Amino acid sequence: MRATRGAARAHIGAVALGAALCAGPALRPGTPWTTLALLAGLYLACELLGRRPFPVGSVGAGSFFPLLLAAAFLLPPAAAALVAVPGSLASRAGKPPAAARRIWRAAEPAVAVWAAARVHALLGGPAALGSPPDLPYALLPVCAAALAFSAVLAALDGSILLVAERLPVRRAWRGLLPRSLAPHLVHGLAGLMMAVLWNSSYGPLAALFVLLPMYISCWVYAQYHREHAAHRATIRALVQAVDIKDTYTRGHGERVGRASVLIAHELGLDRERVEVLRFAGILHDIGKLGVPTRVLRKDGPLTPEERRVIELHPEYGHEIVRGIGFLGEARAAILHHHERLDGSGYPYGLSGRGIPECARIVAVADAFDAMTSTRSYRRGRPVPAAVEELKRCAGTQFDPQMVRALARGLERYGWFGAATADDAQPPPPREADGDRGAQGASALKAPLGPPPPDGGTEVPR
């Protein structure tokens, strides 16, 4: 939360006031305080336990939503709104301002649980949970309550992003409800099991057995996300190392990753392969870490010996990432992204379908970004001109299927262009014969073909 002044503070106060109004009727006679105290104390204990590193790592906020939904099924709406308050107020605040964050974390679930309990009561849910429960009819109010819970949380999450984080309206709520709906429906079913056991002859103690498998499943899910975050951190570190060493192509890997994803989507590849191809595009030049810096940053034309050193970077890259298991087929793309369909590429001179599909995708994405990127020594081509050049070289240098997929993706989604290597406006191409700038400018007018003798980056190295 970047700011709590003005509109953001007023918004938090308004939601907190709404939560207080929702919970106010609980002060009237008839509130089942024993059940309320047990559920609130249990939620407090779960929130404190869930943030401890047990057994390995911790689970985040929201892991025990089934307990809140069970409260919505067992208690009147006003009483149910109070269950989340002690646990939310006792949780870690994280970044400052601590008071505002704690108030928000207490008010938001209180309003959501009240809405869920209200919907559940309107559809006759409490009567359906009698002894014995009226199944399968009880599933209808439970699912409706879970939907209301999810919708209110999504609406409030989007509102705080809009007000406090100042996100545009079109982005504030994008994807919040679709991403959370399925998990909250599962939480609703778990809450139903807790409520049924709570009302049974076995009593509240039996309901606790639902929490153990829920805790384990949430912990496993959290571990998966931590592992995925570690993968992304590894990729970022490797890319940063390449960008520092080769300042001429800073940001090139990220853009090749985006173009590779564009092609993969048009080919209809599954989600896991799309992610692997993104990694392949981002890391395709990781082998430049093994190339001497003086060669990468040389302003003049490269000697034949220096060109041979440059052409070793796919093999260097493959050696660097060979032990990173989660990259999968991305390792083959890193090794073979300079192979050509006619067999004249490197490092192994593969041809046609002998070149791995992922490498053929990255090769097109790599060439496209090399042509359209503006570097410190020359300006980039317009996107239509780059696409035409790719089409002209399709069948000899590039796979025509990949070129067509990129063209379709660009027509559908567009391309946001590339910044300069140093985020500055480039100077006009230099005219001196033999320097890197003149070679780069002339290469923009030349066929893609084999790389020019100076190693210019218009045809990616």
Side-chain angles (χ1 to χ4, degrees):
M1 198 178 300
R2 298 193 183 111
T4 56
R5 294 181 179 178
R9 182 172 294 177
H11 181 69
I12 293 172
V15 175
L17 177 61
L21 293 175
C22 291
L27 300 177
R28 299 171 185 169
T31 297
W33 287 105
T34 301
T35 301
L36 172 57
L38 284 173
L39 288 168
L42 187 56
Y43 186 73
L44 171 61
C46 288
E47 283 293 306
L48 295 177
L49 177 65
R51 286 165 173 78
R52 293 182 60 83
F54 175 81
V56 179
S58 60
V59 295
S63 303
F64 300 102
F65 279 171
L67 187 54
L68 295 183
L69 286 166
F73 306 150
L74 291 167
L75 294 170
L82 293 172
V83 170
V85 174
S88 301
L89 292 177
S91 64
R92 289 199 301 265
K95 298 178 182 179
R101 287 180 177 274
R102 285 197 174 97
I103 291 173
W104 175 259
R105 290 178 181 175
E108 184 186 29
V111 175
V113 173
W114 178 88
R118 188 72 176 169
V119 170
H120 187 257
L122 289 173
L123 295 178
L129 288 180
S131 185
D134 184 9
L135 295 174
Y137 174 76
L139 294 174
L140 175 61
V142 163
C143 290
L147 176 60
F149 181 81
S150 185
V152 171
L153 284 182
L156 292 176
D157 284 340
S159 69
I160 199 65
L161 291 174
L162 178 68
V163 176
E165 299 289 346
R166 299 180 182 178
L167 286 185
V169 174
R170 63 181 181 181
R171 289 180 53 198
W173 285 278
R174 182 186 298 171
L176 290 178
L177 183 59
R179 284 197 303 268
S180 62
L181 186 55
H184 288 158
L185 285 173
V186 175
H187 292 161
L189 295 177
L192 172 62
M193 288 189 287
M194 285 194 67
V196 169
L197 289 172
W198 192 286
N199 284 334
S200 70
S201 58
Y202 300 102
L205 187 62
L208 297 181
F209 288 102
V210 178
L211 290 179
L212 180 59
M214 183 58 60
Y215 173 82
I216 293 173
S217 64
C218 289
W219 175 77
V220 170
Y221 190 66
Q223 291 300 103
Y224 165 77
H225 279 281
R226 289 190 188 95
E227 183 179 351
H228 199 63
H231 293 171
R232 292 195 299 270
T234 301
I235 299 298
R236 282 196 302 269
L238 292 172
V239 170
Q240 186 176 21
V242 176
D243 286 348
I244 290 172
K245 184 162 187 175
D246 187 8
T247 55
Y248 281 120
T249 57
R250 184 171 298 161
H252 172 62
E254 294 285 351
R255 295 189 298 271
V256 173
R258 291 204 305 268
S260 298
V261 168
L262 205 62
I263 297 171
H265 279 305
E266 291 300 315
L267 294 175
L269 302 185
D270 61 67
R271 183 177 178 180
E272 290 185 2
R273 290 197 69 196
V274 170
E275 182 73 357
V276 167
L277 277 162
R278 186 174 72 86
F279 289 155
I282 291 173
L283 293 176
H284 73 285
D285 275 342
I286 189 64
K288 287 183 177 179
L289 292 175
V291 177
T293 304
R294 62 175 178 80
V295 176
L296 289 175
R297 299 188 181 184
K298 185 175 180 181
D299 286 331
L302 298 179
T303 66
E305 182 181 352
E306 289 169 337
R307 173 151 291 284
R308 284 194 293 271
V309 172
I310 285 284
E311 290 181 354
L312 288 174
H313 82 268
E315 295 176 275
Y316 292 155
H318 186 258
E319 285 298 313
I320 291 171
V321 303
R322 185 166 58 177
I324 305 179
F326 71 83
L327 288 178
E329 65 176 330
R331 291 171 291 186
I334 292 169
L335 179 61
H336 296 297
H337 70 278
H338 280 300
E339 306 284 3
R340 293 167 54 111
L341 226 61
D342 60 7
S344 63
Y346 63 89
Y348 299 135
L350 302 182
S351 63
R353 296 291 174 177
I355 305 171
E357 182 183 44
C358 55
R360 285 179 271 135
I361 291 173
V362 172
V364 172
D366 187 19
F368 171 76
D369 183 70
M371 287 189 289
T372 56
S373 296
T374 294
R375 304 282 167 78
S376 58
Y377 52 87
R378 57 94 175 134
R379 299 184 184 277
R381 286 188 181 187
V383 169
V387 172
E388 286 304 314
E389 186 68 8
L390 290 172
K391 289 179 178 178
R392 192 181 69 79
C393 296
T396 55
Q397 185 170 352
F398 305 113
D399 187 330
Q401 181 185 14
M402 309 311 172
V403 173
R404 290 192 297 269
L406 177 62
R408 290 196 305 270
L410 293 171
E411 289 178 2
R412 183 175 302 181
Y413 302 108
W415 185 252
F416 295 100
T420 62
D422 52 5
D423 293 327
Q425 288 298 323
R430 292 171 288 181
E431 299 297 336
D433 288 339
D435 72 9
R436 190 182 183 112
Q439 291 287 349
S442 63
L444 285 175
K445 300 174 186 144
L448 261 176
D454 73 327
T457 54
E458 282 62 50
V459 181
R461 293 179 294 190

